[in-house]
Amino acid sequence: MIKCVILDDELLAISYLKLLCEQIDSVEVVKAFNDPKVFLNEIDDIDCNLCILDIEMPGMTGLQVAELISGSKKIIFTTAYKEYAAEAFDLNVVDYVRKPIKKERLIQAFEKAKELVDIPHKKDLIEWNTNIGRTVIFTEQIAYIKTSEIDSRDKDIILNDGTTIVLKNLSFKNLLEMLPQKDFAQVNKKEIIALSSIKIFSTNEIITTIQAEGDHFLKLQIGEAYKHSLMELFGK
């Protein structure tokens, strides 16, 4: 099932696109937006696997929006202009559909998206913009993740060898979707731990294998909202 969200600054274009989508099997329009900023504020909390983005919008283009969400959502671009095609495919999007949109062409785009959505996501690595550029990180090398103290939108990844890499502008929700569920757990609002880095745990605290100051090991406080899921993960 394709669950899609539409972003287009023109209300008539949204209405037309929703009408086409309603005529296509296995496609559900979950929500539609005409403001990129509102879309970005809400998209992390919406259950969808595909976003249909108009490219030409005032204030923020669909290309700029895609750069922020391409790691977590499949994307189809719509536009009346052909000159954006190269930039669109540089972002590794599903498809690029020219306006005026025809139903047959939209069906082709959805078929491409369905193939990608149905393929289990390979979760042995993640790829994201970091402080050292676009970076591929193997998840087995990750020991611990925390919210950056410099910018809360960023996340600090600490690798097994102590190296720190900063993931730029990525929510914990989207990050957890990229990580193997069986290997990582969110401990509180600001920290995620690799299960392989856990030394001892209780109902309130985790002692890790990560070296802290002196001979001590890093300790993490378990947030109240995360206790139940952690206990389930540990089979308790």
Side-chain angles (χ1 to χ4, degrees):
M1 181 72 173
I2 298 290
K3 293 184 176 183
C4 69
V5 171
I6 297 170
L7 172 61
D8 195 307
D9 63 302
E10 297 181 4
L11 295 178
L12 282 176
I14 291 175
S15 297
Y16 176 66
L17 194 48
K18 286 177 71 175
L19 184 65
L20 289 181
C21 290
E22 287 169 1
Q23 300 172 34
I24 301 172
D25 292 338
S26 301
V27 173
E28 176 189 352
V29 177
V30 179
K31 198 164 184 177
F33 296 86
N34 67 342
D35 186 323
K37 292 181 179 178
V38 176
F39 169 89
L40 288 171
N41 284 336
E42 296 187 23
I43 192 62
D44 285 348
D45 299 319
I46 298 174
D47 179 19
C48 69
N49 46 30
L50 176 73
C51 295
I52 304 176
L53 309 180
D54 183 33
I55 291 182
E56 277 286 323
M57 294 182 290
M60 192 174 197
T61 69
L63 294 167
Q64 291 171 315
V65 172
E67 287 179 354
L68 298 175
I69 67 166
S70 61
S72 59
K73 308 291 182 188
K74 305 300 179 188
I75 295 168
I76 292 173
F77 278 128
T78 64
T79 182
Y81 305 93
K82 63 182 179 181
E83 62 264 28
Y84 292 110
E87 292 176 75
F89 283 107
D90 280 346
L91 289 166
N92 196 29
V93 298
V94 173
D95 210 342
Y96 176 96
V97 181
R98 292 279 304 280
K99 293 181 178 180
I101 299 171
K102 297 180 180 179
K103 180 181 174 182
E104 293 74 18
R105 180 67 183 87
L106 191 59
I107 288 173
Q108 288 178 0
F110 279 130
E111 286 175 349
K112 289 183 183 179
K114 190 173 186 304
E115 289 178 6
L116 294 171
V117 168
D118 288 345
I119 296 171
H121 184 56
K122 291 184 178 180
K123 295 186 176 181
D124 54 350
L125 57 85
I126 59 175
E127 182 179 358
W128 200 258
N129 291 325
T130 74
N131 59 312
I132 55 175
R134 193 77 177 180
T135 305
V136 173
I137 303 168
F138 289 91
T139 57
E140 64 182 14
Q141 297 298 319
I142 299 173
Y144 166 60
I145 304 168
K146 65 177 180 177
T147 299
S148 171
E149 295 179 3
I150 298 173
D151 188 335
S152 61
R153 294 171 299 180
D154 299 340
K155 306 297 175 284
D156 293 344
I157 283 187
I158 290 80
L159 303 182
N160 294 327
D161 64 1
T163 302
T164 298
I165 297 174
V166 183
L167 296 175
K168 308 300 289 184
N169 198 20
L170 179 61
S171 70
F172 266 169
K173 180 179 182 292
N174 287 341
L175 178 52
L176 284 167
E177 288 176 357
M178 299 179 193
L179 295 169
Q181 188 176 2
K182 62 181 177 60
D183 297 331
F184 292 86
Q186 186 166 357
V187 177
N188 51 55
K189 288 183 178 180
K190 295 185 175 183
E191 295 173 302
I192 293 172
I193 189 70
L195 301 193
S196 59
S197 297
I198 295 175
K199 193 172 189 176
I200 304 168
F201 73 91
S202 66
T203 54
N204 298 309
E205 185 180 68
I206 288 173
I207 300 176
T208 74
T209 59
I210 300 167
Q211 198 78 36
E213 291 183 9
D215 296 327
H216 300 289
F217 293 94
L218 179 67
K219 294 181 181 180
L220 309 178
Q221 297 301 310
I222 300 175
E224 196 65 39
Y226 302 90
K227 287 183 179 179
H228 179 70
S229 59
L230 278 168
M231 292 305 110
E232 280 192 339
L233 195 61
F234 297 139
K236 301 296 181 183

